[in-house]
Each structure stands twice: as C-alpha cells, then as structure tokens.
Amino acid sequence: TTRFSQTVHNSVLPKEALLGEDGCAFRLLSANSRACFHPKEQLSTRKASYGDPTCSWRQPEDPTEAKAADQRSRTTQSDSKTFFSSFNAPEWLRKREKREVDEFETKDDGWDRSWDVPWSGPTLALGALLWLVAYVSSAALAPLLVAATRGQDISQEETLTLAILASQLGQATGTVGALSLVTRGELFKVLNFAPWKLEDGWFRTALSAIPIAVISVAITAVAASTFGVDRISGGGSTEVVAETLSTTPASATALLLTCSVFAPWTEEIFFRGFVQTTLSKWMPVPWAIVSSATLFSAAHLTPRDAPQLFALGIVLGLTYAKSRNLAAPMAIHGIWNGSVFSALMILVASGADVNEFLSGQGNLSW
C-alpha cells in the first residue's frame, strides 16, 4: 500500500507475504529473503491474507547482516514505483497501488495551495528593494552607456531603441541576480520555471487563459471608461511605447525583444515567482494573487492603465497558481505584449497616427 511503500526502503520478504496494514499481499521473485525497515519502524509478525497464511516478516539474525540491511534501508529510495519494480505483483494489485499513489500525490493539488517558500519576510523586503535598485539604475545608466558606445545622441531613433533594450536586459539580469542572492539560490527551485515540461499541461493552461485575459481586460477597460479613469492625465503604457515605434528593422527587433521577451521574463519572475509565492506563506493564495497584481499594476506608473493591468495581473496569478509552472504566465505575458506591439507596428506601417487612434479608441494595457 501507499503507507507501506513510504516506509519500506529495500524489502525482500518470504515468497508469499502480506504487505501493508490493510491485508494487501503479493508474490515475490525470490524465496531467499529478508525485510529491511527504517530504523524507527519495529518488525512484527503479520499474517498473510494472500498465499501462505503462516508467512511472517523475518528480521536478519546475524548482527553484520542486520547492520547491512539497515544501511540499505537508509540509502535505497522509497519511491513506490521503484519498490514495486522489485516484485512480480499481480496486475490488479499494480493498478490499485498506482491508483492509490496517484490519489495520495494529487489530494493537495488545488490551485489555492500555498508554495513551500524557505525564506522569510525580511528576504521579501530586501529582494523588493534590490529589484527597485536594479530597475532604476538600469533605466538611468543604460541610455548613457549606449549613447557613449555609439557616439550618438540618445534622441537618435536606433540609439533610443537600443537603449531601451539594454535597460530591459539590465533589469532582467539585475532582478535574477538580486533575487537569487537574497534567496541563497533557492529562487528557481520554488518558482519552477520549466517550459520543457509540456506534459505538465502548462502550455494548455496558458492557451486557455488567453481568452479569459482578453475578456477580463476588455470588461475592466469599459468599466474604467464609465467611471472616467481613462480621462486621467498622462499617457498610458501603450502611448509610451508608441512614441518609440519605428519601422527600421533594428529598432523594431529591439523593441519586440524588449516587450515580448525580456519584460515578461523580468516581471513574472519578480511579481509572480517571488512576490506571489512569498506572500502565500502568510495569506491565502487568492489574496496573494490580488496583492501581487496590485503591485504589478502600480509598478508600471501609468494610473490610466492601472485597472486593466490589475485585471491582467489577476489572470497571470491565477494561471501560475493553476499550472505551478512560471512558464505559463510568462507565455501569456509575452503573447499579450507581442500582440499589442504587432498591432501598433501595423498601424505605423499603414501610415496611421497611432496617438490619435489610441486617444479615440481607448488605451490598450501593456
């Protein structure tokens, strides 16, 4: 049974033996056998309900053999699949064991379960401070370095777009470095960024969440317009990007990489992978999602877009909680930003006035 599989590390039992506390038994490959238990477990005689009813557990009599058996029990894996591979169990018993193990492993697989975070509150505060330092310093230094390297003024089109790309690269590198430092290398173990694990279903979860994100942001935009939020002074995040749009290949490529790759990478690692997971230690996961989405919308410094960014942050947080793979919200974020950028590029290529279009149609969340 599952309980027995977790207890026994290396087991060789009499040919017909009872295994587990519920009367489950199966046939072994070898009749010359011993039972090796974890040192804390006590050996006891158990009657079999399958096969020979007189069989019992046998403890090694020789001290040297007992010591060797104890050592094997400490070093051998207790995984139930490894455990069962040692025996010629009936097919019905293997299926039942697999079903019980699956139920045991998935009984706490709800989306609202908290993350197992080894760091504490001060680590969260220090990580947020270092992220802010990386963000500000990259935004300030990258344009100067790019302008000095190219020998051009930052107002030049290609120089400006390359400076934006360099700034985002600096923020991404600084964020990962700072958070890895304060978490002592435990960051990526917790946030679980594994895009290659398609069998986990993260990509399917991401695709199914994209329509939900579109609908949520659209409804929020309508509600914000109803309450006059769209009339708040200052440009939205899309206008900020629109001011730097260019149809030259180098500039377009730099902006596309910035918007659809490096920005999602940086923001998802910090807001979902670090903030949301850490907050789940002290509050229910739904409230951790709401808190990280609030910080996500506020960090963009565009009050007019705050409601839409908050709605998008909620969807991203829920997707991460459901998939438990940071690749899912990162993919949604990248597809979202890339789609908005592509739409703006089509407008620029067609000769349309992007700012006039945005002011007439309402703003798109970035």
Side-chain angles (χ1 to χ4, degrees), residues 143-144 146-148 150-161 163:
L144 299 178
V146 172
R150 292 177 61 87
Q152 296 178 347
D153 188 80
I154 194 64
S155 61
Q156 297 293 321
E157 187 178 271
E158 288 193 5
T159 303
L160 176 60
T161 53

Side-chain angles (χ1 to χ4, degrees), residues 55-212:
C55 73
S56 62
W57 310 102
R58 290 198 295 130
Q59 186 174 12
E61 298 176 359
D62 184 85
T64 304
E65 185 181 355
K67 184 177 181 180
D70 178 69
Q71 183 63 30
R72 288 197 303 271
S73 72
R74 293 172 181 270
T75 57
T76 306
Q77 293 183 350
S78 61
D79 184 85
S80 60
K81 295 180 181 178
T82 304
F83 178 73
F84 260 83
S85 66
S86 303
F87 308 109
N88 184 22
E91 185 64 24
W92 64 267
L93 186 57
R94 292 178 180 274
K95 290 182 179 179
R96 191 176 81 170
E97 172 69 9
K98 184 179 184 304
R99 184 171 64 253
E100 290 179 353
V101 171
D102 290 343
E103 291 175 357
F104 177 82
E105 292 177 347
T106 59
K107 67 179 182 179
D108 192 28
D109 274 354
W111 68 271
D112 58 345
R113 72 189 190 280
S114 61
W115 282 262
D116 184 15
V117 178
W119 53 82
S120 60
T123 301
L124 174 63
L126 180 59
L129 177 62
L130 292 180
W131 169 80
L132 183 61
V133 170
Y135 186 91
V136 173
S137 59
S138 296
L141 296 177
L144 299 178
L145 293 175
V146 172
T149 301
R150 292 177 61 87
Q152 296 178 347
D153 188 80
I154 194 64
S155 61
Q156 297 293 321
E157 187 178 271
E158 288 193 5
T159 303
L160 176 60
T161 53
L162 290 176
I164 293 174
L165 175 60
S167 176
Q168 192 62 60
L169 279 172
Q171 292 169 16
T173 305
T175 297
V176 172
L179 298 184
S180 296
L181 178 65
V182 298
T183 61
R184 299 182 180 182
E186 297 289 331
L187 176 67
F188 281 89
K189 296 180 182 178
V190 173
L191 60 82
N192 186 33
F193 175 69
W196 57 87
K197 293 185 178 180
L198 295 175
E199 65 276 8
D200 292 347
W202 71 264
F203 190 67
R204 183 172 61 253
T205 302
L207 289 180
S208 63
I210 291 176
I212 299 175

Side-chain angles (χ1 to χ4, degrees), residues 246-324:
S246 171
T247 55
T248 61
S251 298
T253 302
L255 287 174
L256 180 62
L257 289 174
T258 300
C259 298
S260 60
V261 178
F262 298 116
W265 165 267
T266 306
E267 294 173 4
E268 293 309 309
I269 286 179
F270 180 73
F271 292 107
R272 252 63 64 180
F274 182 65
V275 175
Q276 181 173 309
T277 57
T278 308
L279 291 179
S280 71
K281 289 186 65 174
W282 304 291
M283 62 180 68
V285 170
W287 284 110
I289 293 173
V290 170
S291 300
S292 64
T294 302
L295 292 174
F296 172 71
S297 63
H300 284 75
L301 303 177
T302 53
R304 199 170 77 183
D305 286 348
Q308 296 95 307
L309 289 167
F310 175 77
L312 180 61
I314 291 292
V315 175
L316 294 172
L318 287 171
T319 304
Y320 183 37
K322 175 65 177 175
S323 65
R324 297 289 155 154

